[in-house]
């Protein structure tokens, strides 16, 4: 791809597309080349089917995926609409003959991109890479047993997706708030050929840690953090069996259970429950503090 400005100090507004393969680390060394061939076949065939000249786009190999930038003279709607439809169909065709289907996470964003002799760079490049690798994208792909998930930045959704267009249905996108390395961002997720996904609870992203500073405080400040610690401690204490709850606390029968055979305990100190054990050697049970002697 030829550029008028190859100076790293100059930038062009382009569409950046990040494509990652699902669980690429689980492929053996012998299988990875075939996986990569399928990814390129799916993407490049889709470019041809969408009427986008392969030589008009910049593509960088990422081992288990591809990084693409598309110049502004090519309509973003064509990539969001027709190209994504073709990618999905090509991927489904590839997966018909595979015992373990290939899954792809695709993310898009438009922003200033800098080109040099080694490739592209800039925050506009980092963001789609983060979105494609986000916990939401990963979990949607697995939970919904999908072949493909698309993530778009909030600005791309507002500026382009929300207006709709050929093969672009904004109602089939769902928003999510992500805590990325660079900070919190909003993004929109779509499963081609399906209704708007239910984002639901997802594993947290990697917390944002300022350079040279301490980790960011949990949402809600120190009070919320202490409350969370107290709740966690209470949960662990409740899980441990302390002493039996007396009848007045339980309000139940005096036989020491709730009628369903389940004993209740209140933990007020350390407890070690041992049942039906045979010890072949001396065993220490209890806590040693200060100069206290052990009790075996």
């Amino acid at each position: 791809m030829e550029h008028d400005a190859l100076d790293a100090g100059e930038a062009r507004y382009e569409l950046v597309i990040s494509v990652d393969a699902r669980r690429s680390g689980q492929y053996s060394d012998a299988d990875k080349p075939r996986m990569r061939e399928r990814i390129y076949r799916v993407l490049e065939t889709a470019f041809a089917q969408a009427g986008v000249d392969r030589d008009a786009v910049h593509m960088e190999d990422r081992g288990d995926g591809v990084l693409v930038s598309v110049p502004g003279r090519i309509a973003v709607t064509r990539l969001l609409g027709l190209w994504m439809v073709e990618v999905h169909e090509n991927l489904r065709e590839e997966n018909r003959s595979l015992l373990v289907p290939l899954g792809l996470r695709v993310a898009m964003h438009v922003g200033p991109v800098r080109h040099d002799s080694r490739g592209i760079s800039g925050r506009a490049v980092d963001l789609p890479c983060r979105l494609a690798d986000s916990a939401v994208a990963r979990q949607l792909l697995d939970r919904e047993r999908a072949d493909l998930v698309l993530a778009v930045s909030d600005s791309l959704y507002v500026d382009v997706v929300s207006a709709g267009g050929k093969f672009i249905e904004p109602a089939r996108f769902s928003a999510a708030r992500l805590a990325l390395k660079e900070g919190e961002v909003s993004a929109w997720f779509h499963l081609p050929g399906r209704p708007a996904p239910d984002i639901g609870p997802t594993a947290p992203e990697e917390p944002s840690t300022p350079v040279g500073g301490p980790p960011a405080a949990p949402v809600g400040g120190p009070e919320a953090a202490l409350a969370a610690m107290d709740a966690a401690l209470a949960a662990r204490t409740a899980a441990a069996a302390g002493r039996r709850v007396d009848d007045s606390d339980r309000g139940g029968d005096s036989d020491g259970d709730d009628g369903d055979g389940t004993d209740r305990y209140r933990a007020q100190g350390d407890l070690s429950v041992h049942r039906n054990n045979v010890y072949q050697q001396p065993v220490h049970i209890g806590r040693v503090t200060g100069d206290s002697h052990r009790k075996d």
Side-chain angles (χ1 to χ4, degrees):
M1 180 179 179
E2 294 183 359
H3 288 269
D4 298 340
L6 292 178
D7 186 347
E10 298 181 359
R12 297 180 170 211
Y13 269 78
E14 298 183 340
L15 173 67
V16 180
I17 307 172
S18 177
V19 181
D20 280 347
R22 171 173 49 197
R23 293 196 182 92
S24 59
Q26 295 183 6
Y27 286 86
S28 67
D29 287 351
D31 289 333
K32 282 187 176 180
R34 289 188 285 271
M35 174 198 73
R36 287 160 48 79
E37 287 177 5
R38 293 186 183 101
I39 293 174
Y40 276 96
R41 186 160 55 242
V42 165
L43 300 182
E44 292 179 338
T45 302
F47 278 126
Q49 292 166 330
V52 178
D53 189 351
R54 168 63 183 83
D55 294 334
V57 301
H58 170 85
M59 296 184 70
E60 291 183 23
D61 182 73
R62 290 301 177 97
D64 59 350
V66 181
L67 182 63
V68 180
S69 67
V70 183
R73 67 176 181 272
I74 299 175
V76 174
T77 52
R78 187 182 303 183
L79 279 301
L80 275 167
L82 180 57
W83 183 75
M84 281 302 305
V85 169
E86 299 296 352
V87 167
H88 186 216
E89 290 302 316
N90 294 340
L91 183 58
R92 292 177 61 192
E93 186 63 31
E94 289 283 341
N95 284 337
R96 293 185 196 279
S97 60
L98 299 179
L99 292 177
V100 179
L102 173 64
L104 295 180
R105 303 186 305 272
V106 179
M108 297 185 183
H109 174 61
V110 172
V113 177
R114 288 172 170 79
H115 290 256
D116 57 34
S117 60
R118 293 176 177 83
I120 58 176
S121 63
R123 292 185 179 180
V125 177
D126 296 339
L127 179 55
C129 292
R130 299 280 191 256
L131 298 183
D133 193 46
S134 67
V136 173
R138 291 175 177 274
Q139 293 179 32
L140 275 179
L141 202 61
D142 290 341
R143 190 182 69 205
E144 302 298 328
R145 299 178 182 273
D147 298 306
L148 178 67
V149 60
L150 169 65
V152 300
S153 65
D154 187 59
S155 60
L156 182 56
Y157 180 87
V158 172
D159 294 341
V160 182
V161 176
S162 63
K166 190 173 183 179
F167 303 118
I168 302 175
E169 300 180 75
R172 295 197 175 195
F173 285 73
S174 294
R177 190 71 177 166
L178 310 178
L180 306 181
K181 291 181 178 180
E182 295 81 2
E184 288 194 357
V185 300
S186 294
W188 295 77
F189 294 84
H190 170 58
L191 297 172
R194 304 191 187 193
D198 178 10
I199 301 297
T202 58
E205 307 290 340
E206 182 176 344
S208 175
T209 303
V211 177
V219 176
E223 294 80 7
L226 289 174
M229 293 174 63
D230 289 341
L233 179 59
R236 289 196 297 270
T237 302
R243 63 177 178 82
R244 296 283 295 274
V245 176
D246 57 30
D247 295 340
S248 62
D249 288 335
R250 284 188 282 106
D253 300 332
S254 60
D255 60 0
D257 60 45
D258 288 336
D260 60 356
T262 302
D263 290 339
R264 283 189 172 183
Y265 298 87
R266 176 183 292 130
Q268 291 184 338
D270 296 329
L271 172 71
S272 181
V273 178
H274 300 261
R275 294 174 179 166
N276 303 320
N277 295 320
V278 178
Y279 301 103
Q280 304 296 335
Q281 296 179 354
V283 176
H284 167 71
I285 299 174
R287 176 188 294 182
V288 177
T289 60
D291 297 329
S292 300
H293 296 291
R294 274 192 171 190
K295 295 179 181 181
D296 292 328

